[in-house]
Amino acid sequence: MKRIIWIIISLFGLMSYSQTGVIKGKIIDKQSEKPISGALVEIIGSENNQSVSDADGNFKLSNIPVGRQSLSISFRGYENTSVSDIDVTTGKDNLVTISMIEKFNTLDEVVISFSSNKAKPVNKMAMVSAKQFSPEEVNRYAGGRSDVARLVSNFAGVSTADDSRNDIVVRGNSPSGMLWRIEGIPVPSPNHFSTLATTGGPVSALNPNLLANSDFLTSAFPAEYGNAISGVFDLGFRKGNPDDYEYMISVGAYPGLEAMAEGPLGKKGGSFVAAARYGFVGVLGLAGTDAQPNYSDVSFNVDFGRSKIGNFSLFGIYGISNIDFLGDKVDKEDPFAAQDEDSYVTSQFGSLGLKHNLDIGNNSYLKTIVGFSNAANTYKNDRYYDYHTPMENKLRFSDIDNSESRITFSTLFNSKINKKVTIRTGLLLENYSLDANIFSRDRQQDGDGDGYPDLVQLVNNNGNYNIIQPYAQGQFRLTEKFMFNAGLHGQYFSINKELAIEPRAALSYAINAKNSISLGYGMHHQNVPAPILFLNENVNGNQVQTNRNLDLVQSQHYVLGYDLRLAKKWRGKMELYYQQIDKAAVESFSSSYSSLTEGADFGYSIDKTSLVSNGKGHNQGVEFTLEKFFSEGYYGLFTTSVFESKYSGSDEIERNTPFNNGYVVNLLGGKEFKIGKEKINVFSIDTKFTTAGGRYYTPVDLDASNNAGYEIRDDANAFSKQYDPYLRLDVKFGIKLNSKKKKRFHQFYVDFQNVTNHTNVFTLEYNRLTNSINQKDQIGFSPDFGYKFQF
């Protein structure tokens, strides 16, 4: 440690001369998304440094002092706006896209008011339960592991199932209710070690260094989003630097080794950005398991620039991962392995898309995307029967080989009719091809008389299905203070030939410059997860998919919100919500099971067949956010949620869902200190404290498990027990060093996660070797680190 400190202090001496950076980007109209020519862009506090946007909306500010800077943007006939917290360094140009809203009353040119782009979502149609986030935030917060999913767990109403995975629980919903979108098209779970139909994983395959500012939505989504009932990740890739070539090399415990390049492409304003990462967290002993996880990914976005037939861009992401759990090499407390088993896991994820933007007139555009996505995983599990006896026998216990592919076509037409009315309509077509095969001895009979459960094929499906989603929506500025959004979303599911028509609406009213209220409603549908939908059942000697015709699960969201601008850079927000869920899959006989309890693990139930769509559930709660946007060298974020999540199985008994934590509290803060002779370098401290109610679980029936030889849960008392509350404190230290004369930048951080080494329960499970119930804990104290070099 002393050597590291000495190296850091030495670097301070090499970086003690002042240097400047660049801020450039584009100014666009919020409603039409067309460039604004003639907008004045100024550095707040340095009005002499200003730029005027050109005919394409582009601007450039040079010789900007390094450090946090804020912009003010003004243009006649538009509301003034601002962008804060731009981290100017010597290693990379800052590229920003800034949207402006046309004034409702253009005669009112005396009142000067500023609105922050950061306080509003990127999607103009999202008015309730939506938050914009930046890639800089992903890397800034303590305990984040450069994972966008872990970032949003800091937001009100959101929690993660456990430290080992980044599944997102939104307002008590199962993670399977999430929708991931990249550049406007739905994609499978973009995570390493992900499995069929899950939405999370241990490590994210999304590289935050390629992301643009994006949205996270938690309720009453606009009409363009479908086939989701809990939340939406609407992610976009940023464009590369259109003027200069830039490079980055970094290393981190969880992201691994990374190399990135970007720069101009062609002579028509094109650009490219691409990055590759290779993880090595297992080598450092920080994976939470004794096994060695291997994972790598690549991402890119290529913008071909302007042409007579519009703008084309090509984007993609691909990730692969594998890990081997060998029973004789794992600890008995390993949460993912057993000593009498050898397991071999692989997974891959990929998405490739071609996007075309075509301007139509002065206020309209047509965006079309064609995409292909694939997700695959295999799981080979060998079990040692009669373990550590002369009769020990190694047999294949499970063999899973799943592959899901989808071809997607999306088209969206957006038109600003006038400053009061904007319409958006579109169509999303998805063709799914599923090749799923699951063999298992779990809970099977010994039909061949060899003394062991038979290896039975539980899932065998290589079919395909289609989802068609048309939608139309409009935004109406009824008065200067009153805005109303309304739309319809349709969803056709080819398996059961069901067509759902979903109304969506939201309104906001600005009481005054500091206070506003909002109200939202949305009906949403989602198909039952594929592993349940295509599960085989033995009917008269034939394998039949008895869940195939299950209805779409229906969810209705009601939201009431209140926003308060407490002071400059301070914002308060409160939302009350209620969600009613119907048509969930439950068993045809009286039981506690519901599909609403699935989705927070690596797999789904393999014995739930002949299900019916009679299940119900509800989520209700209140959320509060107090946020201090980054200014004057510090930021703060306090979020809390108090909620209830309940469901009813076919026995019509209301129970807790496993996601009914009851409460979640997050407190984050950070401070930057300027250091060095010229005060151009930065030392930072960030911290995060999280506590939440424990997850509910179904207790193990020990006597029944001992008699059967495998774990049996007491389903009559499903989710009646609760783990101890979750608690974790993370502290992060960082240093930023700007180069002496050249375009170079260094950054180093150390992130101490769970610094109190608090014991958080991972699970209580049956141990078939000791005939007892064992507690396995989540990761204790775990250091993370990273270094980045930009040039």
Side-chain angles (χ1 to χ4, degrees), residues 520-758:
Y521 168 79
M523 178 182 288
H524 311 272
H525 290 80
Q526 185 182 39
N527 62 275
V528 173
I532 297 175
L533 198 67
F534 297 115
L535 195 61
N536 282 340
E537 180 180 5
N538 191 321
V539 179
N540 299 322
N542 298 315
Q543 296 294 313
V544 181
Q545 295 171 354
T546 54
N547 296 334
R548 189 177 179 88
N549 290 317
L550 286 169
D551 292 341
L552 297 173
V553 180
Q554 182 189 88
S555 172
Q556 298 187 74
H557 296 254
Y558 306 85
V559 186
L560 174 64
Y562 172 67
D563 275 86
L564 172 63
R565 184 178 177 182
L566 297 167
K568 184 179 180 181
K569 303 300 181 181
W570 284 87
R571 177 199 184 197
K573 183 178 179 66
M574 183 175 68
E575 283 196 341
L576 297 168
Y577 68 87
Y578 180 81
Q579 178 187 8
Q580 177 64 41
I581 305 175
D582 297 289
K583 298 184 179 181
V586 297
E587 293 184 292
S588 56
F589 54 89
S590 180
S591 82
S592 61
Y593 173 78
S594 171
S595 61
L596 299 179
T597 65
E598 303 264 15
D601 207 338
F602 289 96
Y604 289 81
S605 298
I606 60 174
D607 59 347
K608 304 303 180 184
T609 53
S610 295
L611 300 179
V612 294
S613 301
N614 295 332
K616 296 181 180 295
H618 74 265
N619 301 305
Q620 59 185 353
V622 58
E623 302 168 356
F624 177 74
T625 298
L626 177 63
E627 183 170 14
K628 162 63 168 62
F629 297 110
F630 207 115
S631 65
E632 300 176 344
Y634 75 99
Y635 70 92
L637 176 65
F638 172 76
T639 65
T640 185
S641 309
V642 180
F643 62 97
E644 177 184 74
S645 178
K646 299 284 189 175
Y647 83 98
S648 299
S650 55
D651 59 6
E652 298 184 353
I653 298 175
E654 187 176 78
R655 292 180 168 86
N656 298 297
T657 72
F659 317 108
N660 188 24
N661 301 77
Y663 69 91
V664 179
V665 178
N666 295 294
L667 179 61
L668 297 89
K671 173 69 175 177
E672 291 187 347
F673 303 89
K674 294 182 179 180
I675 57 177
K677 182 178 180 180
E678 300 294 331
K679 302 297 183 182
I680 64 168
N681 300 316
V682 172
F683 173 74
S684 63
I685 302 176
D686 301 272
T687 186
K688 171 187 174 182
F689 172 77
T690 297
T691 185
R695 292 175 290 125
Y696 278 90
Y697 68 96
T698 302
V700 175
D701 187 331
L702 184 58
D703 291 337
S705 299
N706 285 335
N707 291 331
Y710 52 79
E711 183 179 270
I712 295 179
R713 298 277 176 168
D714 182 10
D715 290 331
N717 294 297
F719 307 108
S720 59
K721 300 291 185 179
Q722 188 176 19
Y723 293 130
D724 292 337
Y726 176 92
L727 186 146
R728 176 170 150 173
L729 175 65
D730 304 325
V731 180
K732 182 178 181 180
F733 301 94
I735 293 176
K736 299 177 182 178
L737 303 172
N738 289 286
S739 177
K740 181 178 179 181
K741 294 181 179 180
K742 297 182 179 180
K743 187 175 182 178
R744 294 177 180 174
F745 171 74
H746 302 265
Q747 183 176 7
F748 175 80
Y749 70 84
V750 177
D751 191 353
F752 299 107
Q753 301 176 9
N754 196 2
V755 294
T756 64
N757 200 29
H758 184 78

Side-chain angles (χ1 to χ4, degrees), residues 204-217:
S204 175
L206 287 167
N207 189 333
N209 294 312
L210 267 78
L211 293 179
N213 281 20
S214 303
D215 286 340
F216 182 71
L217 302 92

Side-chain angles (χ1 to χ4, degrees), residues 326-347:
L326 303 180
D328 61 350
K329 295 183 179 180
V330 299
D331 187 88
K332 64 180 181 179
E333 301 300 327
D334 194 304
F336 306 108
Q339 291 182 306
D340 63 341
E341 291 182 343
D342 293 336
S343 301
Y344 309 90
V345 179
T346 70
S347 74

Side-chain angles (χ1 to χ4, degrees), residues 18 106 189 206 261 416 443 447 509 524 531 549 608 629:
S18 65
T106 56
S189 170
L206 287 167
K416 177 183 177 182
R443 310 188 185 208
Y509 178 73
H524 311 272
N549 290 317
K608 304 303 180 184
F629 297 110

Side-chain angles (χ1 to χ4, degrees), residues 89-106:
T89 70
T90 57
K92 180 173 177 17
D93 296 349
N94 288 271
L95 277 68
V96 294
T97 299
I98 304 168
S99 58
M100 303 185 71
I101 299 176
E102 190 173 0
K103 287 184 177 180
F104 188 85
N105 183 359
T106 56

Side-chain angles (χ1 to χ4, degrees), residues 361-387:
N362 295 324
N363 293 308
S364 304
Y365 70 87
L366 180 69
K367 180 170 67 176
T368 303
I369 307 168
V370 178
F372 173 79
S373 298
N374 174 265
N377 70 280
T378 65
Y379 176 74
K380 315 294 183 184
N381 175 263
D382 296 328
R383 178 171 294 182
Y384 294 86
Y385 284 89
D386 302 310
Y387 180 64

